[in-house]
């Protein structure tokens, strides 16, 4: 908690106390109060108790330890791609994906007073997404660990001419003045979040389109990926995501993060997964869940 600026620490203490009193309603997220993940928790489960955590590992541990029933974690952004570390943290977490949520990202410029803003503090991604706005107004970008934490820091120091770029909720929580809203350079900035829980929760039949997320490692032989993917094509299974990443220092073992439409129990899915297992070293299922947005 000491890693947060003082105004954020007070809110973290309050929210942590509420979560401790009712863990079943707690949704853990990474970031200071007022972060986009905070907004995602409230949007996904309006009656929840948001539980701020300093790092992604802390949010995952909160669920594993019973401090929260669920965690909501960003997995990818429409402008900047996948969120770093999550492909490594998810399989090691022991948690299951039980849902997904999409949040439209809107950036606001906020300041402690009416002094013209000369510098803006925020997460590097937020600064990059607002670079045209900042450049046109001669505002100097200053990198910080997270958006809401930057707002809390500005509220703590109250330096004239220093502002923050963060969600509107951060301005409300830390008593900052909204200088400008929706300052992002692109209006199609969307982040996809995954909801994690200790127990799997397979969707009931008929709830609508379903996603399944899993990991696998191909065998180190020619055309391994081509052979592994063949079963999805021949069985008519729609694959919406396939991302590769390296684990360890050998650069010889490639692992893949994959989303498909449908779930185990469907004959076509079962046949495709059986063929995948034949051509890979291992397959690890992370969860099946209802689609929050249609893919086809």
């Amino acid at each position: 908690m000491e890693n947060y600026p003082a105004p954020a620490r007070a809110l973290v203490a309050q929210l942590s106390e509420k979560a401790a009193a009712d863990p079943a309603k707690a949704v853990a997220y990474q970031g200071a109060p007022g972060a986009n993940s905070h907004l995602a928790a409230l949007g996904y489960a309006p009656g929840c108790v948001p539980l701020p955590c300093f790092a992604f590992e802390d949010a995952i541990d909160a669920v594993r330890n019973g401090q929260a029933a669920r965690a909501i974690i960003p997995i990818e952004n429409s402008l900047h791609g996948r969120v770093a570390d999550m492909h490594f943290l998810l399989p090691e977490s022991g948690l299951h994906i039980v849902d997904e949520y999409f949040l439209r990202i809107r950036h606001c410029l906020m300041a402690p007073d009416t002094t013209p803003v000369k510098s803006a503090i925020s997460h590097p991604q937020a600064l990059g997404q607002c670079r045209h706005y900042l450049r046109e107004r001669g505002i100097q970008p200053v990198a910080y660990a997270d958006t809401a934490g930057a707002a809390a820091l500005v509220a703590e120091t109250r330096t004239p001419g220093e502002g923050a770029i963060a969600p509107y909720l951060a301005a409300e929580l830390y008593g900052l003045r909204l200088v400008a809203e929706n300052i992002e350079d692109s209006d199609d900035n969307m982040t996809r979040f995954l909801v994690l829980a200790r127990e799997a929760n397979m969707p009931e039949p008929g709830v609508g389109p379903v996603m399944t997320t899993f990991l696998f490692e191909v065998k180190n032989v020619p055309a391994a990926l081509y052979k592994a993917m063949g079963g999805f094509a021949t069985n008519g299974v729609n694959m919406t995501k396939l991302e590769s990443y390296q684990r360890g220092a050998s650069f010889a073992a490639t692992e893949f993060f994959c989303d498909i439409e449908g779930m185990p129990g469907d004959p076509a899915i079962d046949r495709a997964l059986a063929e995948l297992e034949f051509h890979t070293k291992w397959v690890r299922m992370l969860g099946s869940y209802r689609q929050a947005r249609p893919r086809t």
Side-chain angles (χ1 to χ4, degrees):
M1 187 183 296
E2 295 304 316
N3 292 311
Y4 294 109
R9 290 200 297 268
L11 290 172
V12 170
Q14 294 173 13
L15 291 169
S16 298
E17 185 177 347
K18 290 181 180 179
D22 194 357
K25 293 179 64 176
V27 177
Y29 69 90
Q30 184 275 329
N36 281 307
S37 293
H38 189 170
L39 287 172
L42 294 173
Y44 169 72
C48 77
V49 179
L51 176 60
C53 301
F54 187 74
F56 288 123
E57 293 91 337
D58 299 330
I60 289 170
D61 286 344
V63 178
R64 285 197 298 211
N65 299 336
Q67 297 170 277
R70 293 164 291 180
I72 190 162
I73 300 294
I75 188 69
E76 60 184 323
N77 177 265
S78 59
L79 297 181
H80 287 267
R82 71 188 185 196
V83 176
D85 297 335
M86 289 315 303
H87 291 64
F88 299 101
L89 293 175
L90 278 176
E92 298 170 356
S93 70
L95 304 180
H96 301 270
I97 303 171
V98 297
D99 223 334
E100 66 175 358
Y101 181 76
F102 289 84
L103 178 69
R104 167 74 163 84
I105 304 299
R106 301 183 186 275
H107 295 304
C108 300
L109 179 64
M110 54 197 70
D113 54 33
T114 58
T115 305
V117 175
K118 299 298 183 183
S119 64
I121 305 173
S122 194
H123 189 278
Q125 282 198 2
L127 294 172
Q129 292 165 16
C130 303
R131 62 183 180 275
H132 296 310
Y133 176 92
L134 298 175
R135 184 176 300 172
E136 288 171 0
R137 290 156 181 80
I139 299 174
Q140 178 67 34
V142 180
Y144 193 73
D146 72 283
T147 55
L153 180 64
V154 167
E156 180 181 27
T157 60
R158 304 194 71 82
T159 302
E162 185 176 72
I165 294 176
Y168 69 89
L169 180 59
E172 295 179 7
L173 293 177
Y174 303 120
L176 296 174
R177 181 178 68 92
L178 278 178
V179 178
E181 299 182 64
N182 302 334
I183 66 171
E184 59 274 6
D185 299 326
S186 176
D187 60 2
D188 59 352
N189 191 0
M190 187 78 67
T191 294
R192 178 190 178 207
F193 290 80
L194 297 179
V195 180
L196 310 179
R198 288 185 296 276
E199 302 295 334
N201 185 22
M202 295 289 286
E204 295 291 334
V207 300
V210 172
M211 298 293 294
T212 293
T213 298
F214 56 90
L215 303 169
F216 64 91
E217 181 180 335
V218 295
K219 296 177 181 178
N220 196 12
V221 297
L225 181 60
Y226 175 81
K227 295 174 182 176
M229 296 292 95
F232 296 97
T234 56
N235 287 285
V237 176
N238 185 34
M239 182 174 294
T240 64
K241 173 185 282 294
L242 181 65
E243 288 189 345
S244 64
Y245 61 101
Q246 295 287 333
R247 184 186 296 271
S250 68
F251 293 95
T254 303
E255 299 181 13
F256 290 87
F257 182 96
C258 189
D259 287 338
I260 59 172
E261 290 193 289
M263 65 179 181
D266 297 339
I269 300 293
D270 290 343
R271 290 193 298 268
L273 291 175
E275 188 165 342
L276 175 69
E277 291 177 353
F278 181 80
H279 291 293
T280 58
K281 292 183 179 180
W282 51 261
V283 178
R284 183 176 301 164
M285 306 302 294
L286 296 181
S288 297
Y289 47 94
R290 183 181 57 84
Q291 288 184 17
R293 299 181 69 184
R295 303 310 203 269
T296 55

